Amino acid sequence: MTRIVIIGGGPGGYEAALVAAQLGADVTVVERDGPGGACVLSDCVPSKTLIATSTRMAVMSESASLGVRFSGGSDGQVGGLGVDLQLTNKRVKELARAQSYDVAERLCYEDVRIVRGEARFVDPQIVAVGDERLRADIVLVATGATPRVLPGAEPDGERILSWRQLYDLPELPEDLIVVGSGVTGAEFASAYQALGSRVTLVSSRERILPTEDAQAATVLEEVFQRRGMNVLSRSRAAAVHRSGDGVVVTLEDGRKVEGSHCLMTVGMVPNTDGIGLEEVGVQLDKRGFIKVDKVSRTHASHIYAAGDCTGVLMLASVAAMQGRIAMWHALGEAVQPLKLGWVAGNIFTDPEVATVGVSQNMIDSGEVDARTVMLPLSTNARAKMQGFEDGFVKLFCRPATGIVLGGVIVAPRASELILGLSVAVQQHLTVDQLAHTFTVYPSLSGSITEASRRLMQESAY
């Protein structure tokens, strides 16, 4: 029986363990924090649980135009509406623990052994956990990553925070400064603004979400500012320090921003130090991420890697697929290499931003030849009924064949709507096929088929 040791119990680790166990391997998962890893216990699951509360708050606070009235409200404002942060955080933590328990139950059902502790390579096929030595024919490294810390802005867990420390706050931050306007920064800025905090978002770039679709980022920034967020563009933080009961963020140009709390969202660093990777032949890049190929192999024989520690795409779905692919390949099953062009991503702001396939930037730069159509969400009947005004559906297809290449959806629950486009991209469907697919009327998904009809009419195939 093939012996497999997996270092890390997050999505990359536990999904790999399930595949390996089902293929008849003897599987041991070593996890420091608990089944599910940081994704379940401190990152993705807790943040999206908090965002679920904030989204509900945002819907209620903007319901006056639909005829909804709350006691004490006037001039379109909602009175008597607030958040109990301690209760919200309690729910966040309980749900994370419950999800971790579910992961453990599933692993145990498949006879996967779970070892709690920190692992280190003794040699390429022996992993040490404390005094125990685990012999392995195959090792998968799925150790994840940790929030990056800027010198001069070290989190203290009280006023200067990483996102893993938010759920211990006793009360809602009155004036929250979010440093970093990437996906994590935008999500938490959106969430805490909806919960009732005054939010300042410090962005070192010209716009928020600098690596995402520019039109989507523009819509989101306009929504943030309309709701009262202070967005500081082209403003890089140089230092953060405590000042009495608050914080002061000093920008590189000398300006100072004062607030009650500061949330640092300036990227991630891989958890690859101190586990003996280079000693066993695993190569790291200059940032410390593990180098892997399209089937998750490292440069060391019998050692694979998956998830955030590889720096490929820091998404739970990508980590899980990397882990599955690693086990299929290691155990001799038919496997298709990881295709990043098939990856669907979502930003859990309000509204959400979901993407799949080629990007607008690839088209604008001439890297990809494509036809494009964009439909404002405000033209969709269901959106009008629900009071949704911000967002759009954008679709890309090949000029000659009409094959769907990708798309962008900015809308409430865009994370659910993107599935149709993901299927179209992966299965090489055409806009003609999408256009002839029935959708419910009225529905937000109707904008996808409407966009397809417009591309079908414009295409020359």
Side-chain angles (χ1 to χ4, degrees):
M1 182 180 290
T2 304
R3 297 168 300 181
I4 293 177
V5 172
I6 298 173
I7 305 174
Y14 71 73
E15 289 288 349
L18 293 174
V19 167
Q22 290 161 4
L23 292 175
D26 176 24
V27 186
T28 300
V29 174
V30 182
E31 170 54 44
R32 177 181 59 190
D33 301 319
C39 174
V40 168
L41 291 167
S42 60
D43 290 353
C44 187
V45 170
S47 67
K48 303 316 175 270
T49 305
L50 176 77
I51 288 168
T53 298
S54 72
T55 301
R56 193 70 61 88
M57 286 277 290
V59 169
M60 294 178 70
S61 65
E62 296 183 350
S63 296
S65 63
L66 277 66
V68 178
R69 291 289 181 265
F70 296 85
S71 62
S74 62
D75 298 326
Q77 300 298 313
V78 177
L81 182 63
V83 64
D84 182 335
L85 191 67
Q86 291 191 22
L87 183 59
T88 297
N89 286 341
K90 179 174 180 288
R91 178 175 182 267
V92 166
K93 294 177 182 179
E94 288 177 347
L95 196 150
R97 287 193 294 268
Q99 187 69 17
S100 178
Y101 178 81
D102 288 344
V103 171
E105 285 284 287
R106 180 68 197 283
L107 290 173
C108 289
Y109 179 80
E110 298 291 347
D111 293 324
V112 174
R113 183 188 175 206
I114 302 173
V115 176
R116 188 74 173 264
E118 296 193 15
R120 190 184 190 285
F121 281 96
V122 174
D123 73 24
Q125 293 182 303
I126 299 178
V127 175
V129 185
D131 295 331
E132 186 174 4
R133 298 294 183 267
L134 303 173
R135 295 188 175 273
D137 301 302
I138 298 162
V139 179
L140 173 70
V141 181
T143 49
T146 301
R148 179 171 166 244
V149 175
L150 292 181
E154 293 82 1
D156 59 17
E158 296 179 354
R159 295 287 174 176
I160 306 172
L161 308 156
S162 76
W163 60 86
R164 291 180 178 175
Q165 298 169 327
L166 287 169
Y167 313 110
D168 293 320
L169 289 177
E171 57 187 21
L172 190 70
E174 185 176 351
D175 288 284
L176 177 65
I177 304 169
V178 179
V179 175
S181 62
V183 172
T184 303
E187 287 184 345
F188 280 113
S190 176
Y192 277 94
Q193 182 184 51
L195 292 173
S197 296
R198 288 188 294 271
V199 176
T200 297
L201 182 58
V202 178
S203 174
S204 63
R205 308 288 283 274
E206 186 175 351
R207 60 174 173 83
I208 67 171
L209 301 174
T211 62
E212 304 297 327
D213 183 271
Q215 290 172 302
T218 297
V219 168
L220 206 58
E221 189 164 334
E222 289 173 351
V223 171
F224 285 177
Q225 291 175 331
R226 189 181 70 229
R227 292 174 178 172
M229 188 183 299
N230 181 23
V231 180
L232 300 179
S233 301
R234 297 182 293 275
S235 302
R236 187 179 297 275
V240 183
H241 67 271
R242 297 275 296 262
S243 176
D245 291 332
V247 295
V248 175
V249 176
T250 302
L251 306 180
E252 285 189 345
D253 61 8
R255 287 178 295 161
K256 296 183 183 297
V257 184
E258 297 184 3
S260 62
H261 298 76
C262 179
L263 172 62
M264 302 299 298
T265 62
V266 289
M268 302 280 280
V269 294
N271 296 327
T272 54
D273 285 340
I275 58 176
L277 291 173
E278 292 179 296
E279 289 87 337
V280 295
V282 175
Q283 292 186 13
L284 309 178
D285 69 14
K286 61 182 181 181
R287 298 179 298 161
F289 291 100
I290 300 172
K291 295 181 179 181
V292 293
D293 63 14
K294 297 295 184 180
V295 291
S296 303
R297 289 179 299 190
T298 71
H299 287 80
S301 177
H302 308 302
I303 300 177
Y304 293 72
D308 288 358
C309 64
T310 68
V312 174
L313 267 182
M314 290 193 175
L315 298 172
S317 59
V318 172
M321 186 58 74
Q322 284 181 295
R324 296 186 199 106
I325 287 173
M327 293 300 100
W328 287 325
H329 184 269
L331 295 171
E333 295 293 308
V335 62
Q336 191 169 40
L338 179 67
K339 291 192 175 183
L340 297 181
W342 289 357
V343 175
N346 191 72
I347 303 169
F348 289 86
T349 47
D350 180 31
E352 295 179 357
V353 179
T355 57
V356 69
V358 304
S359 67
Q360 184 72 60
N361 188 54
M362 294 168 68
I363 296 169
D364 293 343
S365 67
E367 181 181 347
V368 175
D369 187 18
R371 287 185 178 272
T372 302
V373 69
M374 185 176 79
L375 297 182
L377 201 64
S378 59
T379 64
N380 180 285
R382 184 68 182 277
K384 293 176 183 176
M385 295 169 190
Q386 295 185 283
F388 302 148
E389 298 178 354
D390 304 296
F392 59 80
V393 170
K394 183 158 56 172
L395 195 58
F396 313 128
C397 76
R398 293 197 181 279
T401 62
I403 291 175
V404 177
L405 295 175
V408 181
I409 300 176
V410 181
R413 295 185 178 265
S415 52
E416 309 294 343
L417 295 171
I418 200 67
L419 176 61
L421 293 186
S422 296
V423 172
V425 169
Q426 185 167 343
Q427 299 301 319
H428 306 291
L429 301 183
T430 66
V431 290
D432 183 274
Q433 290 170 310
L434 273 185
H436 287 88
T437 301
F438 278 94
T439 55
V440 170
Y441 181 85
S443 68
L444 297 183
S445 58
S447 287
I448 297 174
T449 52
E450 174 62 23
S452 301
R453 283 191 288 273
R454 295 198 183 188
L455 282 175
M456 180 180 67
Q457 292 166 4
E458 296 173 6
S459 295
Y461 70 99

